[in-house]
């Protein structure tokens, strides 16, 4: 694997966007390339790079937003007249700590290899990327996604998520991946070329 591409991905996942110093980047790329040249596997070289990332100040610096009590507040929403409909609410829980989402909701089987996935079997891709941390299908709680626009007809939940599996099967729970706070709607191109307004602290692993 290309050392620069590996460090780009590590920065995206572990360092608040755009904050990895060029000198640190060069050190990590050099260490990764040297590990491969010395006969290490890609997994072993990645472990070297991860250890170096964990020593960086950028990794340990929070990009959390500070509350400004003097900033103007949004006006209160006007009261809405009761419509006589059944009450529904979206409840959002912000949990302190972290969760390995790729060990919570996992491609299981019936994965399409077509235009929608650029010819990639996402289960095979999951196993390749996760390596020894990939959960085998016989340890997953299956949930059906047949008839949906998802790349697999069956996904799997972590074996400890029996309650979520039951809620899903009853139609009372859904999985929504790749979401987060936004300042405004933007496309991937607008995000990558920085023409869209992006929230502060994005990709800060300790504040998401």
């Amino acid at each position: 694997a290309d050392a620069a591409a590996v460090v780009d991905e590590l920065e995206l996942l572990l360092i608040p966007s755009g904050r990895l110093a060029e000198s640190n980047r060069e050190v990590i790329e050099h260490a990764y390339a040297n590990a491969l040249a010395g006969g290490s596997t890609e997994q072993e070289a990645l472990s070297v790079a991860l250890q170096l990332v964990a020593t960086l100040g950028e990794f340990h610096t929070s990009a959390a937003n500070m509350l400004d009590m003097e900033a103007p507040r949004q006006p209160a929403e006007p009261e809405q007249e009761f419509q006589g409909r059944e009450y529904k609410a979206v409840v959002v829980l912000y949990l302190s700590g972290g969760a390995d989402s790729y060990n919570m909701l996992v491609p299981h089987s019936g994965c399409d290899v077509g235009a929608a996935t650029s010819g990639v079997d996402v289960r095979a891709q999951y196993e390749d990327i996760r390596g020894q941390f990939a959960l085998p299908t016989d340890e997953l709680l299956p949930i059906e996604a047949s008839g949906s626009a998802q790349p697999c007809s069956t996904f799997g939940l972590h074996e400890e998520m029996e309650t979520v599996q039951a809620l899903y099967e009853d139609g009372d729970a859904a999985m929504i991946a790749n979401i987060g706070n936004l300042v405004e709607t933007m496309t991937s191109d607008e995000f990558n070329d920085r023409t869209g307004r992006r929230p502060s602290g994005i990709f800060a692993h300790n504040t998401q």
Side-chain angles (χ1 to χ4, degrees):
D2 178 65
V6 170
V7 176
D8 283 343
E9 187 166 0
L10 291 178
E11 179 182 20
L12 182 67
L13 294 172
L14 302 175
I15 305 294
S17 183
R19 296 185 57 181
L20 182 58
E22 191 61 32
S23 57
N24 289 334
R25 170 183 291 277
E26 291 175 359
V27 168
I28 299 171
E29 289 180 7
H30 185 68
Y32 180 87
N34 275 355
L36 290 179
S40 296
T41 65
E42 289 187 2
Q43 190 68 35
E44 291 168 338
L46 178 61
S47 179
V48 171
L50 284 169
Q51 290 178 56
L52 289 172
V53 169
T55 68
L56 300 179
E58 295 101 313
F59 178 79
H60 296 281
T61 302
S62 173
N65 298 326
M66 300 300 291
L67 179 62
D68 183 358
M69 299 302 296
E70 304 300 322
R73 296 290 184 261
Q74 291 283 352
E77 292 288 336
E79 290 189 11
Q80 300 294 322
E81 182 179 347
F82 179 60
Q83 303 294 315
R85 295 175 296 198
E86 180 183 358
Y87 176 76
K88 293 183 178 180
V90 175
V91 179
V92 179
L93 302 179
Y94 282 89
L95 304 177
S96 296
D100 185 351
S101 61
Y102 291 106
N103 269 11
M104 296 171 64
L105 179 64
V106 179
H108 186 284
S109 56
C111 299
D112 178 46
V113 182
T117 59
S118 302
V120 175
D121 181 332
V122 294
R123 173 65 202 186
Q125 183 185 54
Y126 166 78
E127 293 176 349
D128 180 56
I129 293 175
R130 298 291 287 182
Q132 61 181 320
F133 301 108
L135 297 179
T137 54
D138 60 1
E139 292 183 10
L140 297 170
L141 303 174
I143 58 173
E144 292 301 313
S146 302
S148 68
Q150 298 302 319
C152 300
S153 60
T154 303
F155 285 83
L157 298 175
H158 190 278
E159 60 185 353
E160 297 293 331
M161 299 176 68
E162 294 179 349
T163 299
V164 177
Q165 181 194 36
L167 289 170
Y168 178 88
E169 291 175 344
D170 290 341
D172 293 325
M175 314 298 163
I176 306 176
N178 301 320
I179 64 169
N181 297 325
L182 288 176
V183 176
E184 63 183 7
T185 302
M186 70 173 72
T187 65
S188 58
D189 288 337
E190 291 170 335
F191 174 83
N192 290 325
D193 62 23
R194 297 177 180 270
T195 56
R197 295 171 58 211
R198 310 195 304 178
S200 301
I202 193 168
F203 297 123
H205 69 283
N206 59 336
T207 61
Q208 291 290 304

